[in-house]
Amino acid sequence: MVDKMPDHEFKTAHPRAQPPEETDLVQINPLSKSAGGVPAIVSAVKSAWNEMGPVRGLHALLKLNQQGGFDCPGCAWPEPDEARSHAEFCENGARHVADEATTKRVTPEFFSHWRVADLSYKSDYWLGKQGRITSPMVLRRGATHYEPIPWDKAFELIAEALNVLAHPDEAIFYTSGRTSNEAAFLYQLFVRQFGTNNLPDCSNMCHESSGWALIETIGAGKGTVTLEDFELAQAIFVIGQNPGTNHPRMLSALEKAKKNGCTLVHVNPLPEAGMSSFKHPQDVLGWMGGGTQLTDLFLQVRINGDVALLKGIMKEVLAADNRTGGGVLDQDFIKKHTTGFAEFADAVRKTEWEDIIQQCGIPKSQIEEGARIFIASERTIFCWAMGLTQHRNAVANIQEIVNLMLLRGQIGKPGAGLCPVRGHSNVQGDRTMGITERPTDNFLDRLGTELNFEPPRTRGLDTVQAIQAMHGGRGKVFFALGGNFLSATPDTEYTAEALRLCRLTVHVSTKVNRAHLITGEQAMILPCLGRTEVDQQATGPQFVTTENSMAVVQASRGFLAPASPELLSEPAIVSRLARATLGRKTAVDWEELIADYDRIRDLIARVIPQFENYNQRVRQPGGFYLPSSPRELVFKTPSDRAVFTVHEMPRHNLKPGQFLMMTIRSHDQFNTSIYGLNDRYRGIQNGRRVVFLNRDDMLQAGLSEGQTVDLTSHFEGEERVARRFTVVPYSIPRFCAATYFPETNVLVPVRSVAEKSNTPVSKSVVISIKPAVNVGQKFDYDNVAPRD
């Protein structure tokens, strides 16, 4: 059923109807002592009311994450397998939906008014508030304004640009984590029939390190737990993650675990309100008082001190086993299911406590307490996110977690396991569908056999390599299926230069973002349906599927009327582009696939293992789990065993006046989507250009609260500058700093990447801080000169 809205309720984003801009008057308020509660309810209701209206907003929220409804376009935290509440969403989920289902519209008139150069000086917040794009738009060579273009002409222009390339590898096809399984499968099929494996995606910038670490050690690149395991766990370690802002529904699972007697340990450079105390928004009695206290032990590690901390815990575990005559380690598990233990244990025992404490910044007594909690638990879960995955030694960070868990056999049993928490709703599913620059031979063999073509075998480009290829003139056409590429990627000025060198840049989008404004010689915006909207094709309304962090594949059905009759679904855009580009060179009946998405899923079932009877299984309430071999103690490594690994502790030799900076999200954002200028939990109001510092560091550097400063990053003799940041004193370890992204992506060098995974190192950026110059001067939000 389509939820119709009277035409008069749709609003055009009038050029002069501007939301408040960010100013230098950042307000610093007291920190929140708990997450959730009445403020979360007020925020969710306010977002829905302001963007969608009360009736439309209520209808949308009651369909969110419900069986028969649509999957949240936000994070990838799973829904309960059994009974779901009527409000199965969090504050941020409500904001994601409100942002997508807004009644504001960006029409061709908007683009005719605004020069691209003028839009380039608007903040990401302002751009996002303008509304949904209604028509395909093109920025022609030498033009200053986007203009409308018919869909057929748009596909012809893209196809022509692709087909005149000297080689298919001169094209780059990026994917966002919001893309559905159906769109992702068709996309990779088109790209490989075109002749390249250049399929970088947002995973290259977040959990790529997790995949590398887990494949090498346990033979599978995904987590090993289900939501039910959280109810059975005796201890849960949350490391390098802020659930209260980035995965708020996770707090419900942690609260339930806590009430079941679970002990929670939080490891992070910053204390976070969400891990301190939680007031469940649906528990009215819980609003009173301080809420449920979650964290039993907070280990405030220095930025990138996690390897040292984990070595300290493991050193104490080994010592405790020695003291008790072998009563701590799971020797049977180690002998039957692992390899490399002796070398690993020898390396840990040789690590000096003084070195461990110096590198992680945590007293030995607290490390020993963490070890005691781990030893006392028979069922332990380790959760992590990008606080671990965006360092040079990111793969080592995660493999040290695996090492610790193998010591006591905490993989492959109920209530225990590894939990990388994904940040986007289908980033894991996209990879399952073949969105990768490194496809396996088995996948390519199955794809080629089923579709009767020979897929390319040369390894493609990941995100960093794609930027470098464009910058070097080797990437000439850039196509993005979703996402805000320029704001999401590192080294903003370098990436902008790379995009400008392209012949054509194309973005499939729902709203205006910065990537539309820094373009190639020609550029195009192709507006698509949102997940909340009805996807009407030849055989009737369609649904799509996604895969969450715990490998549950489920259906998502939009129900709102599309923001514009001109919008196409992502699968339809891919199909029509494939037909226009490949012509008679493809035997795929793209039109038949789009007419009925069941046909896409039938094709997926024949190509990708574990998707047998896809259409039948995904129609079951709650969908279905993909199997996890490590849960069954099957480790698909060369040795058929889980692998202990040995790693050196990372060291950062900071010079006087330097800090190690990490980028973080505010509570008013999701990835690069900025919903507001506040960070309620950290006490920030009316601004995003802030730098969090230790008070002692401020005193030593001669900096004061509220002072405006410039940040300079230092990498291999290179310097990059981000201007006009407000100093905020905070509880953060000495010589560490934290800033919001994407504002400080400009400081992250494109060549500063994680070993093996090639993920940008956004959590270990060496910076210096000086009083600002030219305070009050108008500046470009990304330090990037716009096209004029």
Side-chain angles (χ1 to χ4, degrees), residues 448-467:
T449 299
E450 179 62 35
L451 278 306
N452 194 29
F453 80 107
E454 180 54 42
R457 301 284 169 163
T458 304
R459 176 175 171 171
L461 303 175
D462 63 24
T463 297
V464 167
Q465 292 165 341
I467 295 169

Side-chain angles (χ1 to χ4, degrees), residues 117-167:
D118 293 333
L119 287 173
S120 298
Y121 286 101
K122 295 297 182 182
S123 70
D124 294 284
Y125 171 62
W126 187 94
L127 293 173
K129 284 296 182 182
Q130 300 313 297
R132 291 286 299 279
I133 304 169
T134 62
S135 305
M137 307 297 296
V138 62
L139 182 65
R140 300 191 185 277
R141 189 174 287 104
T144 59
H145 293 70
Y146 275 99
E147 62 184 69
I149 182 172
W151 277 108
D152 286 344
K153 295 296 182 182
F155 292 127
E156 288 177 12
L157 192 155
I158 301 168
E160 180 182 0
L162 291 172
N163 286 326
V164 299
L165 295 174
H167 192 279

